[in-house]
Amino acid sequence: MSRRAVRAGRWATALACAACIGAAPAAPPARITLTYDLARNGQSLADLVETLEHSGGAYSIVSEAKPKGALAGLPFGLFKRESRGEVTADGLRPAYFRDQRGGRLAIALLDWKAGELVTEFRGRTETRPLEGAMHDRLTLV
């Protein structure tokens, strides 16, 4: 997938996030879903669905890409990313991130109180200190 197409999708998600959790005087919708076609050089590669939900100071973002066309026949399966955490005055603060690409899965747990980042990938679990403001691929624009 082209970086430009992915970047455009992230900007669309960021704008939706800003619309939802910005300092607008009206109550933002609790759920927004964006659906679009991911293409490169005019060729449709995947259907993307991104959903942002928030309630009570917590948020959830789910991004799913389903390959289509020539890519649909390959054993990639579904591409799915999920981020959950809290909405703070400084923006989104992730506590959980999951990235699934076909059969490959990566998970990150951000424990802000303990100051630890725990990652799981390819059967390995690592714990590192949380340093400064950290984001995942869905909360970083």
Side-chain angles (χ1 to χ4, degrees):
M1 296 180 206
S2 79
R3 289 182 187 190
R4 179 177 288 163
V6 171
R7 197 173 301 128
R10 286 186 185 149
W11 278 107
T13 301
L15 290 173
C17 289
C20 282
I21 59 178
R31 178 184 172 111
I32 291 179
T33 300
L34 300 170
T35 304
Y36 50 97
D37 181 49
L38 182 63
R40 180 177 181 174
N41 297 329
Q43 182 178 358
S44 183
L45 300 175
D47 289 321
L48 250 67
V49 178
E50 295 190 328
T51 303
L52 167 70
E53 295 180 88
H54 70 96
S55 175
Y59 79 88
S60 170
I61 302 172
V62 177
S63 176
E64 295 180 298
K66 183 178 179 184
K68 63 182 188 178
L71 293 179
L74 299 175
F76 294 136
L78 183 70
F79 290 73
K80 183 176 181 180
R81 289 184 174 149
E82 180 181 354
S83 176
R84 292 192 309 251
E86 65 181 307
V87 180
T88 71
D90 295 325
L92 301 180
R93 188 177 193 186
Y96 171 85
F97 178 72
R98 182 176 195 258
D99 187 353
Q100 180 178 356
R101 298 177 188 193
R104 191 171 69 180
L105 178 64
I107 296 175
L109 303 170
L110 297 89
D111 186 339
W112 296 95
K113 289 181 183 175
E116 291 183 335
L117 168 65
V118 178
T119 58
E120 298 176 22
F121 182 64
R122 293 186 178 169
R124 286 184 30 196
T125 301
E126 293 183 25
T127 302
R128 300 180 184 132
L130 275 174
E131 299 174 358
M134 296 187 80
H135 294 276
D136 55 50
R137 290 183 174 207
L138 293 175
T139 61
L140 179 65
V141 179

